[in-house]
Amino acid sequence: MAYEGELVRLRAIEPDDLDRYLRWMNDPEVTRTLSMRYPIGREAEREILERMGNRGSYRSVAFAIEVCETGEHIGTVDLGSPYFESRWGTLGLVIGAKEHRGKGYGTDAVRTLCRFAFWEMNLRLVRLTVFPENERARRAYERVGFVLEGTQRQAILKAGEFLDMHMMSITRAEFEAIHGAPPDLRTLERLP
């Protein structure tokens, strides 16, 4: 099953995706805006993808991002939900295919994942962190409706420097005020 946005489709991560992920996760230009900092080998990346592919549970989900028009796999979006009793999850996004950045695919992937989070998982809040220097990602999150909650000062060591991380979030009510409610509210049980 895939989830369609306007520009992208979110689908299951498949074993055939391994070579693309390996290339992306070993590209310093891709990982400079991620918290990871070490090169990764084929077996380790295969194990990560296998875990991500098996994470289809309430606690966490991960999707490959494909361009609707071409079917090209360009990245990943995931949602970890460590506090399911409180009904919130943490969003992560990677557009590994650099030539597809700045075209709205990341924004659409985040919007589509938020629809899934709020309408399929019945979450009430989605959070994320982003480096202050990653203006492109921050603007994409803001277009979806995420707001800045605060800054974790010197939160992560990267390239020998301690970097701040912005924390952003969006509630279900905020999302629906911007993007509308699900087509048929009767199909979803709303909890308080």
Side-chain angles (χ1 to χ4, degrees), residues 6-24:
E6 294 173 20
L7 302 173
V8 300
R9 171 184 312 107
L10 306 184
R11 63 153 173 87
I13 295 171
E14 299 291 346
D16 291 348
D17 297 329
L18 176 60
D19 287 335
R20 280 182 296 281
Y21 280 110
L22 197 56
R23 187 172 58 250
W24 296 338

Side-chain angles (χ1 to χ4, degrees), residues 18 51-52 86 89 95 134 187:
L18 176 60
R51 281 194 309 273
M52 289 175 76
S86 299
I95 301 295
N134 193 350
T187 63

